[in-house]
Amino acid sequence: MTADIIDGKAFAAGLRARVAAQVGECRARHGLTPGLTVVLVGEDPASQVYVRNKGRQAAEAGIASNEIRLDAGTGQAELLAVVAGLNADPAVHGILVQLPLPPQIDAAAVIDAIDPAKDVDGFHVRNAGRLAVGLPAMVSCTPRGCLMLLEDQLGDLSGLDAVIVGRSNIVGKPMAQLLLGANCTVTTAHSRTRGLDAHCRRADILVAAVGRPEMIRGPWIKPGATVIDVGMNRLDAGNGKTRLVGDVCFAEAVEVAGAITPVPGGVGPMTVAVLLSNTVTAACRQAGVEVPAG
Ligand code: NDP
């Protein structure tokens, strides 16, 4: 058996086109241009690439996109003052502070300082709490993107057994809440889980968000399962080059699963597309208008 390949790149392109249409409607109907500001502290090369991509894709969708770059020595008070300024700026509907932050800055305090209505990353405790109790919330981009791919692939997820490997606040936990909300029976596994392979083998939906290259092996996967690989691990490919691999051993998994996301080209492109979608939602909620269907 060879699994269907879930084309996250194509799905994300479609989502970005829908977001662009929503932005056009916001402008035409309400004179509203959604605004997103990304704050980058320091020179981390991966973060610079992410921030550049976010800015470019936001601009392509018609979002007013801004970037604030602060040097690596920036103190916490200075960053908090920048966040306060953005909270107060009515043209800024979404604020994203790129993680990781330098060690002198307490990331949790910075996330806590972002106005929850502008927290397009969905990391603020208010948004995490609202998601947990089933209220409308800004939802963390990567898990929301995973849910979209799953619903596109499987339709109704009710009653399916879902196993998430990883319990981080930005991927594993919100993924669990979203799948619970979609009426799955959810298991969240982590580094202390006993018999991880047996848990994985029960899963109709297996989400890997571990950060360990190719840890999930083919025999751990239930035949026909849908596998979502969130992992993004850079391995040395020789010649001074790197290659990107997921948390799932793709070559083995593709022989067992019913459908699987590749790395790259699976979950990765969804994250930025959902960020843009969240920015439109944030702008409409702040303006008190309905989010256009797109
Ligand atoms: P974290 O490091 O924050 O969390 C990793 C989780 O995996 C933890 O809950 C940890 O358990 C668990 N874990 C670690 N080792 C094992 C093990 N041997 N067995 C079972 N569980 C284990 O990572 P993130 O959630 O931030 O990211 C996970 C992966 O997803 C990374 O590869 C990251 O690069 C990628 N990522 C991709 C994104 C995208 O856009 N595609 C966006 C965000 C992340 P414990 O809690 O017990 O320590």
Side-chain angles (χ1 to χ4, degrees):
M1 178 176 176
T2 303
D4 290 346
I5 306 299
I6 299 174
D7 188 347
K9 203 172 162 190
F11 192 97
L15 178 57
R16 289 198 305 274
R18 292 198 293 281
V19 169
Q22 288 176 310
V23 172
E25 271 200 55
C26 284
R27 276 225 189 91
R29 281 217 232 144
H30 310 294
L32 172 67
T33 301
L36 170 69
T37 296
V38 179
V39 182
L40 174 63
V41 185
E43 317 268 298
D44 180 59
S47 294
Q48 289 188 346
V49 173
Y50 295 144
V51 167
R52 209 177 309 129
N53 280 343
K54 286 168 186 169
R56 182 176 47 77
Q57 293 185 23
E60 281 169 10
I63 289 171
S65 151
N66 245 317
E67 219 177 278
I68 297 178
R69 286 178 180 256
L70 303 171
D71 70 53
T74 300
Q76 174 143 335
E78 198 184 330
L79 180 54
L80 289 175
V82 168
V83 169
L86 296 172
N87 284 343
D89 184 343
V92 175
H93 305 103
I95 302 168
L96 185 153
V97 178
Q98 183 66 44
L99 301 179
L101 289 166
Q104 74 275 14
I105 296 177
D106 175 0
V110 173
I111 292 166
D112 199 46
I114 297 172
D115 177 347
K118 298 188 177 188
D119 168 39
V120 281
D121 246 345
F123 293 170
H124 193 285
V125 71
R126 177 98 54 96
N127 282 313
R130 290 178 70 89
L131 174 64
V133 297
L135 288 172
M138 299 310 303
V139 177
S140 182
C141 302
T142 301
R144 195 176 154 224
C146 293
L147 183 71
M148 286 179 181
L149 293 178
L150 282 165
E151 288 182 333
D152 185 58
Q153 182 68 26
L154 296 170
D156 183 11
L157 307 183
S158 283
L160 296 178
D161 277 322
V163 173
I164 301 147
V165 189
R167 58 172 165 179
S168 71
N169 290 337
I170 65 171
V171 186
K173 283 179 191 154
M175 188 78 250
Q177 296 295 351
L178 287 171
L179 289 171
L180 197 55
N183 299 314
C184 292
T185 303
V186 179
T187 301
T188 310
H190 45 79
S191 66
R192 313 288 175 89
T193 296
R194 283 184 272 177
L196 180 61
D197 54 341
H199 282 289
C200 291
R201 260 192 300 276
R202 279 192 299 102
D204 302 307
I205 293 170
L206 181 59
V207 181
V210 196
R212 293 189 184 266
E214 301 182 327
M215 188 187 88
I216 310 272
R217 309 306 302 256
W220 298 21
I221 294 167
K222 178 177 175 177
T226 301
V227 178
I228 302 290
D229 190 352
V230 181
M232 293 210 303
N233 309 289
R234 278 209 177 273
L235 298 185
D236 187 355
N239 320 328
K241 296 200 169 156
T242 58
R243 70 188 173 99
L244 197 62
V245 299
D247 291 339
V248 177
C249 178
F250 184 85
E252 293 176 5
V254 78
E255 299 298 329
V256 189
I260 184 168
T261 56
V263 176
V267 173
M270 291 299 294
T271 299
V272 183
V274 174
L275 171 71
L276 307 184
S277 164
N278 280 355
T279 301
V280 172
T281 301
C284 291
R285 284 185 187 158
Q286 284 160 55
V289 301
E290 216 174 293
V291 183

